[in-house]
Amino acid sequence: RVGRTKFSASQLFDEDESVQAESIDKICKAAGFMQEKKIGALIVFERESQLGEIINTGTIVDAVASVSVVNNIFFPNSPLHDGAVVVRNGRIYAAGCILPLSQADLLNSSMGTRHRAAIGMSESSDAVVLVVSEETGTISIAEGGKITRNYNAVTAAAELRRLILSNENQEKKMPVVTVLKKINPFKKSK
């Protein structure tokens, strides 16, 4: 019976993707709450580039993403609220992290330090960064050195899923699935 399980490696990827999707949804629900209350937030979604140097500037949390955990981290005057949260593999991995600021001169003057940090992080890595403005409550997403604004909890979740999950599917899942299909042990030989 050993080796006869119908469990396949592609299920591992589906489970990982499910954790990522659930994490995105919960973080965006928290962002919607912070948007209403005008609570500032900066959340970095790690992709291929490891963010070890950034993580070392903060505090390791390594917690399951939930609305209450995110809201507690960014609650005004809490110890970690001024820094950024780093999300790794769908988990809130670190909080209170310091991000590099963008040096671009052409940034809109209405963008504060959080937005400059989000753009800076997206310029120096492949990370995707969600920002909630403390002044206006506006939700923005930075990727590849560019920032887009005026999201709500639902549209931000959709955009993050598109940027993070579709990128993972293209870069990770396809080559592995292709190889696994070629060596499928359950395939009956003729």
Side-chain angles (χ1 to χ4, degrees):
R1 292 185 183 200
V2 175
R4 290 188 185 176
T5 178
K6 295 200 181 205
F7 183 77
S8 69
S10 64
Q11 288 173 309
L12 286 174
F13 290 106
D14 292 342
E15 185 176 317
D16 183 50
E17 188 174 304
S18 174
V19 169
Q20 289 273 22
E22 191 173 326
S23 170
I24 289 168
D25 290 344
K26 289 179 180 178
I27 289 167
C28 288
K29 282 182 186 176
F33 171 82
M34 291 184 283
Q35 180 179 39
E36 289 175 23
K37 303 291 182 190
K38 292 188 179 175
I39 296 172
L42 191 53
I43 302 167
V44 179
F45 292 86
E46 183 182 67
R47 293 200 288 190
E48 291 298 309
S49 300
Q50 295 289 303
L51 303 177
E53 289 180 25
I54 300 300
I55 288 167
N56 289 338
T57 66
T59 302
I60 301 295
V61 177
D62 197 18
V64 173
S66 72
V67 175
S68 59
V69 169
V70 175
N71 284 332
N72 281 325
I73 289 171
F74 290 110
F75 188 79
N77 300 320
S78 69
L80 301 173
H81 85 281
D82 272 337
V85 160
V86 175
V87 177
R88 176 182 275 178
N89 298 325
R91 293 180 62 84
I92 296 173
Y93 191 74
C97 300
I98 309 296
L99 303 183
L101 298 179
S102 175
Q103 300 303 313
D105 293 330
L106 302 174
L107 291 179
N108 187 324
S109 61
S110 69
M111 289 190 223
T113 306
R114 274 189 188 89
H115 294 86
R116 190 173 285 275
I119 295 168
M121 187 76 248
S122 74
E123 289 170 340
S124 63
S125 73
D126 66 348
V128 177
V129 187
L130 179 116
V131 186
V132 181
S133 171
E134 190 171 346
E135 288 77 29
T136 65
T138 302
I139 296 175
S140 305
I141 295 174
E143 192 231 1
K146 294 184 169 83
I147 193 163
T148 52
R149 303 174 83 176
N150 298 318
Y151 290 95
N152 60 39
V154 174
T155 58
E159 180 66 2
L160 289 172
R161 281 172 174 256
R162 185 185 73 76
L163 292 170
I164 296 167
L165 299 180
S166 66
N167 192 34
E168 279 188 0
N169 286 342
Q170 291 170 353
E171 292 178 7
K172 290 182 180 175
K173 190 174 181 178
M174 296 314 291
V176 173
V177 170
T178 302
V179 170
L180 288 174
K181 283 181 180 176
K182 289 179 183 176
I183 60 170
N184 184 357
F186 303 110
K187 186 175 164 183
K188 294 184 179 181
S189 56
K190 293 181 182 183

